[in-house]
Amino acid sequence: MTQPGDPRPAASALSLGERVAEQLRRQITQGEFAPGQRLSEQALSDDLAISRNTLREVFRVLTKDGLLKHVPNRGVFVAVPSIASIIDIYRVRRLIECQALAQAYPRHPAKKRMRDAFEEAMRCRAGDDWPGVGTANMAFHMAVVELADSERLNLLFAQVLAELRLAFGMLQDAEFLHAPFVDRNLAILELAEAGNFEKAAAMLSDYLIHSERLVLAVYARRLADGSIGDL
């Protein structure tokens, strides 16, 4: 069942191919596929109990979204984000998230989802589950965008988060990437809960600049040592 604020359409409104595409997109967002990983058509069609023709259509959709890449004579792979795409992701994040937060309705229920996501991140941090912290962080920022009350923005941002998770997975250091931002999420949340949305948006803007610089620095370091390559 679709929860309030969930950017995804109800399952009953989707075709089989759309449901499978949404499932794989969600798995990418949750870090279940690694950047550059080859996807076996036979294994996935068996696991998902769908025909290979349906799966090929799903692959076409996710390739168009930039989440997969088809390499002739080699198969379909999870995409490897470039530096340019990471910069563009953060540009989109600043435009959408900061505006949604600055203009939020004081009693918007998405604030509760921000709080729930932060508390989940704290539980994961206490258990040293840094990929879990990353997933909770994604939920926190999705809730920020839900403050805008725009179905189109929700759908667009869900796609952005899937691409962002690919970038995070490629850097292979979840603790380094997420540890600095758990407490920053709390500071933003407390400002939002107090109704100080403009200050929260300004803090979020600085947060995103810091996050972008950190991600690009790790990417550049791994590129230099040959850890990242094209497909």
Side-chain angles (χ1 to χ4, degrees), residues 40-213:
S40 167
E41 187 177 288
Q42 183 63 59
L44 265 181
S45 62
D46 290 345
D47 289 346
L48 297 168
I50 61 173
S51 72
R52 294 177 74 164
N53 283 338
T54 299
L55 184 61
R56 287 173 190 143
E57 180 57 33
V58 170
F59 282 169
R60 281 192 287 272
V61 170
L62 296 182
T63 298
K64 184 178 178 181
D65 287 349
L67 299 178
L68 301 180
K69 181 176 181 179
H70 177 260
V71 181
N73 302 317
R74 292 182 59 195
V76 175
F77 296 78
V78 179
V80 176
S82 66
I83 285 180
S85 66
I86 292 170
I87 291 171
D88 196 39
I89 286 168
Y90 275 92
R91 181 183 298 118
V92 171
R93 291 189 70 187
R94 286 190 292 271
L95 287 170
I96 295 177
E97 290 190 61
C98 296
Q99 191 75 359
L101 190 53
Q103 299 184 2
Y105 172 62
R107 296 182 181 273
H108 200 291
K111 287 199 301 182
K112 174 63 165 56
R113 291 191 285 277
M114 290 170 64
R115 169 61 68 176
D116 291 344
F118 167 74
E119 291 179 354
E120 175 62 18
M122 291 292 287
R123 285 190 289 271
C124 290
R125 185 172 72 172
D128 206 29
D129 175 10
W130 291 103
V133 172
T135 297
N137 183 60
M138 297 289 178
F140 181 90
H141 289 279
M142 188 72 241
V144 169
V145 173
E146 289 167 1
L147 292 168
D149 271 332
S150 169
E151 183 71 12
R152 289 175 176 83
L153 282 182
N154 290 349
L155 291 169
L156 170 63
F157 198 71
Q159 165 66 22
V160 169
L161 285 183
E163 293 185 75
L164 182 64
R165 192 59 183 258
L166 282 181
F168 287 168
M170 185 172 56
L171 303 181
Q172 297 179 351
D173 195 342
E175 180 176 359
F176 182 75
L177 289 171
H178 301 305
F181 299 102
V182 177
D183 293 332
R184 286 191 177 207
N185 282 350
L186 176 59
I188 291 167
L189 174 62
E190 288 178 339
L191 286 170
E193 289 177 336
N196 197 341
F197 292 109
E198 287 191 9
K199 189 171 181 180
M203 183 178 290
L204 177 58
S205 179
D206 290 342
Y207 168 123
L208 292 173
I209 290 169
H210 182 196
S211 176
E212 179 182 14
R213 288 174 178 168

Side-chain angles (χ1 to χ4, degrees), residues 4-25:
D6 193 328
R8 295 165 295 175
S12 60
L14 299 176
S15 69
L16 175 60
E18 288 170 331
R19 290 199 301 273
V20 174
E22 174 57 32
Q23 177 181 337
L24 292 181
R25 189 179 290 111

